[in-house]
Amino acid sequence: GAGVSQSPSNKVTEKGKDVELRCDPISGHTALYWYRQSLGQGLEFLIYFQGNSAPDKSGLPSDRFSAERTGGSVSTLTIQRTQQEDSAVYLCASSLVPPRTNYGYTFGSGTRLTVV
Amino acid sequence: KNEVEQSPQNLTAQEGEFITINCSYSVGISALHWLQQHPGGGIVSLFMLSSGKKKHGRLIATINIQEKHSSLHITASHPRDSAVYICAAREGAQKLVFGQGTRLTINP
């Protein structure tokens, strides 16, 4: 596609429920990243996929968080048993490897998750 | 102490002023990124640089690898430049470490 597409754009869920967030990267971008931005906080790295390599999961805050990337394209971030502290904007980005051009990364518009 | 520090945290200026936002980092980096986040939340990647200076329109980014410091400059600032500007240091192949951002407001 022309850009990085994320869905849903907004999600309100009850505490304890599972949620799935989807990211569709730019076609041909082999690298895909998930970040989150809590209210009033900076961006926080969650996980990185590159090609067929094992993902870098070092930023996942707990074992309730998991992500997969199928066929080297679409990625799903799953949060199990959601907690109120999971409320944040979850951002996906993609890039070539290594990032090229003047810009490097293309970000999606994010999914705003609210846990009530 | 954060690995990536930005200053100032907030900056308000009048239209037309020359703007400078600073970024210092303590990690070894493969590249330094500047990002722009508008009030709606969307993030745009402005620059990726590993040495010297880059220019795009009214925006200029510089980096001094020895001093571990980068600056983002905006010439002839305009209210539409109002946004949060984020510095991010890329460690190794891909992982980004972000600064806390600088909230810029340009008044007409």
Side-chain angles (χ1 to χ4, degrees):
Chain A
V4 176
S5 177
Q6 289 189 247
S7 62
S9 55
N10 281 283
K11 176 72 176 178
V12 179
T13 189
E14 291 181 353
K15 178 181 172 181
K17 300 278 190 181
D18 298 351
V19 295
E20 283 189 354
L21 313 179
R22 176 188 168 104
C23 172
D24 197 347
I26 288 178
S27 178
H29 278 192
T30 54
L32 185 148
Y33 319 78
W34 284 98
Y35 301 97
R36 76 174 176 182
Q37 187 172 36
S38 303
L39 186 63
Q41 302 296 313
L43 283 155
E44 175 188 13
F45 166 79
L46 295 177
I47 188 169
Y48 156 63
F49 295 91
Q50 194 254 301
N52 295 322
S53 302
D56 177 352
K57 303 179 182 180
S58 60
L60 294 178
S62 78
D63 58 8
R64 296 184 296 104
F65 287 72
S66 63
E68 62 177 22
R69 188 180 185 191
T70 54
S73 180
V74 172
S75 176
T76 302
L77 177 68
T78 301
I79 309 173
Q80 295 178 308
R81 306 180 303 281
T82 51
Q83 303 294 312
Q84 288 185 327
E85 62 262 30
D86 299 334
S87 296
V89 175
Y90 289 81
L91 288 154
C92 176
S94 71
S95 76
L96 296 168
V97 177
R100 296 174 200 164
T101 76
N102 196 36
Y103 312 108
Y105 301 88
T106 303
F107 284 81
S109 54
T111 294
R112 183 176 298 277
L113 175 67
T114 304
V115 182
V116 298
Chain B
K1 181 172 165 43
N2 291 332
E3 293 176 305
V4 179
E5 294 272 357
Q6 286 185 237
S7 63
Q9 292 186 6
N10 291 281
L11 177 58
T12 299
Q14 291 300 120
E15 182 173 358
E17 287 189 37
F18 181 81
I19 302 299
T20 296
I21 299 170
N22 294 300
C23 174
S24 296
Y25 54 92
S26 56
V27 297
I29 67 166
S30 55
L32 192 288
H33 296 256
W34 282 100
L35 311 172
Q36 180 192 55
Q37 185 171 32
H38 277 281
I43 293 179
V44 174
S45 187
L46 297 175
F47 292 104
M48 175 181 69
L49 65 164
S50 54
S51 64
K53 174 181 173 179
K54 288 190 175 181
K55 185 176 188 292
H56 183 227
R58 295 181 293 106
L59 301 177
I60 302 166
T62 63
I63 188 168
N64 184 317
I65 297 294
Q66 287 74 30
E67 295 186 3
K68 294 189 174 181
H69 181 269
S70 176
S71 293
L72 177 69
H73 305 285
I74 305 175
T75 62
S77 59
H78 190 276
R80 65 176 174 265
D81 297 326
S82 297
V84 175
Y85 292 83
I86 303 167
C87 168
R90 175 151 56 94
E91 296 182 275
Q94 297 297 332
K95 181 181 176 182
L96 289 178
V97 179
F98 298 91
Q100 288 297 100
T102 295
R103 184 174 299 278
L104 174 66
T105 303
I106 304 296
N107 293 319

